[in-house]
């Protein structure tokens, strides 16, 4: 599975749990980028952030039998990072998403916004 297909699975996993403001940053053309894609979303509560992160892992594992290389932040559920090396998922609380503003930090990336699902 290539990184574009993996990124699509991550987006699906986020949308399955009603993540808000899902954004895909395509970093493949950005010099010195650390991965091909960042997928960023916001959860409305600690419980939803945890559910989104679990959904991403489950969706990817069901389709690829691949576990993340690393996962950080699930102890406090304010910013959970799920690292598949070429694709990195970021699940933020609203406050931390605004503070870290990854979309602006990686402003040279091609950015795709996904509609919120209801």
């Amino acid at each position: 599975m290539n990184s574009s297909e993996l990124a699509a699975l991550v987006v699906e996993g986020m949308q399955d749990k009603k993540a808000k403001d899902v954004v895909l940053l395509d970093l493949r053309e950005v010099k010195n980028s650390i991965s091909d894609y960042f997928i960023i979303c916001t959860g409305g509560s600690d419980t939803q952030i945890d559910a989104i992160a679990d959904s991403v892992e489950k969706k990817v594992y069901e389709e690829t039998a691949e576990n993340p290389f690393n996962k950080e932040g699930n102890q406090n559920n304010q910013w959970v990072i799920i690292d598949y090396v070429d694709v990195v998922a970021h699940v933020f609380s609203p406050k931390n998403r605004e503070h870290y503003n990854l979309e602006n930090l990686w402003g040279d990336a091609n950015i795709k916004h996904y509609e919120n699902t209801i």
Side-chain angles (χ1 to χ4, degrees), residues 28-78:
R28 293 174 295 176
E29 303 296 323
V30 177
K31 187 176 181 179
N32 299 322
S33 67
I34 56 176
S35 66
D36 289 349
Y37 297 97
F38 279 1
I39 301 97
I40 303 166
C41 73
T42 303
S45 67
D46 291 359
T47 303
Q48 187 185 23
I49 290 168
D50 189 47
I52 293 166
D54 287 347
S55 178
V56 167
E57 286 187 77
K58 181 179 178 185
K59 176 70 78 176
V60 170
Y61 188 80
E62 286 174 350
E63 298 291 329
T64 68
E66 185 177 341
N67 287 311
F69 173 73
N70 196 13
K71 182 177 178 183
E72 297 284 336
N74 56 318
Q75 299 83 4
N76 64 15
N77 289 331
Q78 295 297 303

Side-chain angles (χ1 to χ4, degrees), residues 4-117:
S4 296
E5 294 167 327
L6 182 58
L9 290 175
V10 169
V11 169
E12 285 179 37
M14 290 175 171
Q15 290 176 327
D16 285 350
K17 294 300 178 185
K18 311 292 188 232
K20 294 180 182 170
D21 304 319
V22 178
V23 175
L24 181 142
L25 278 62
D26 183 343
L27 302 167
R28 293 174 295 176
E29 303 296 323
V30 177
K31 187 176 181 179
N32 299 322
S33 67
I34 56 176
S35 66
D36 289 349
Y37 297 97
F38 279 1
I39 301 97
I40 303 166
C41 73
T42 303
S45 67
D46 291 359
T47 303
Q48 187 185 23
I49 290 168
D50 189 47
I52 293 166
D54 287 347
S55 178
V56 167
E57 286 187 77
K58 181 179 178 185
K59 176 70 78 176
V60 170
Y61 188 80
E62 286 174 350
E63 298 291 329
T64 68
E66 185 177 341
N67 287 311
F69 173 73
N70 196 13
K71 182 177 178 183
E72 297 284 336
N74 56 318
Q75 299 83 4
N76 64 15
N77 289 331
Q78 295 297 303
W79 178 8
V80 177
I81 302 170
I82 308 164
D83 184 356
Y84 290 98
V85 182
D86 289 333
V87 176
V88 180
H90 299 267
V91 185
F92 280 102
S93 68
K95 180 179 176 181
N96 279 307
R97 180 154 182 189
E98 182 180 337
H99 177 76
Y100 290 104
N101 197 5
L102 293 185
E103 293 96 327
N104 190 44
L105 182 65
W106 291 94
D108 292 342
N110 291 320
I111 298 174
K112 179 177 181 180
H113 296 268
Y114 292 85
E115 294 293 321
N116 289 335
T117 57

